Amino acid sequence: CGQFTPLHESSVTGMAFGISHKLASEFDDVMAADVGLLWGENAAKELYRDVKLRVMMDHYEVWWKDGQRFNLADAANTHLASCDEGAFAAAKRIRPGDQVRIRGWLVNAKAATEPGETDPRKILSWHSSVTREDRGEGACELLYVRSAGDIEILERGPRFWALARWPGAAGMLLAVFLWHRRLRAHLA
């Protein structure tokens, strides 16, 4: 499952502004999700409404225009790692807009494709941030979640857009099907 070195016990409560289960990491067998979280001033004053936030694979991006405010210390890209299948399932239930509480340990991790690997070039290392003052590459938190009970969805976010995408996708498939049928009839 990998080797984890605990650094600090951690608990974070915030709003999930984005989530990715499509990690581009060599750690994807232990990475349950990549969760963009915000809290504090960003949530209380709804500063997130004036910025663009996006979680992509292993990182998140935030943009705002001059004159707008966003507190980077009240936002995080939190990578959830676990060896527990229940924790993986609980992480997959998090959706953007959900209010969540996640408990675990900030950890450093090492993994290799082969058990017992000793060649340092074949051992991947990932170090967690332990401060809210860092930025850029390496500023993400790597949070080891022991069990499904360590991930709580306190309140579900709005589901309108999540639900609206299914009729839209069905309509698009129907349009492609009808176009293809019409093209086949025209060619015949």
Side-chain angles (χ1 to χ4, degrees), residues 106-134:
L106 292 175
V107 296
N108 289 338
K110 288 187 178 186
T113 54
E114 298 295 323
E117 182 63 63
T118 58
D119 184 349
R121 295 171 298 174
K122 296 180 181 178
I123 299 173
L124 301 161
S125 296
W126 193 335
H127 298 279
S128 177
S129 170
V130 293
T131 178
R132 296 300 322 135
E133 305 304 317
D134 53 1

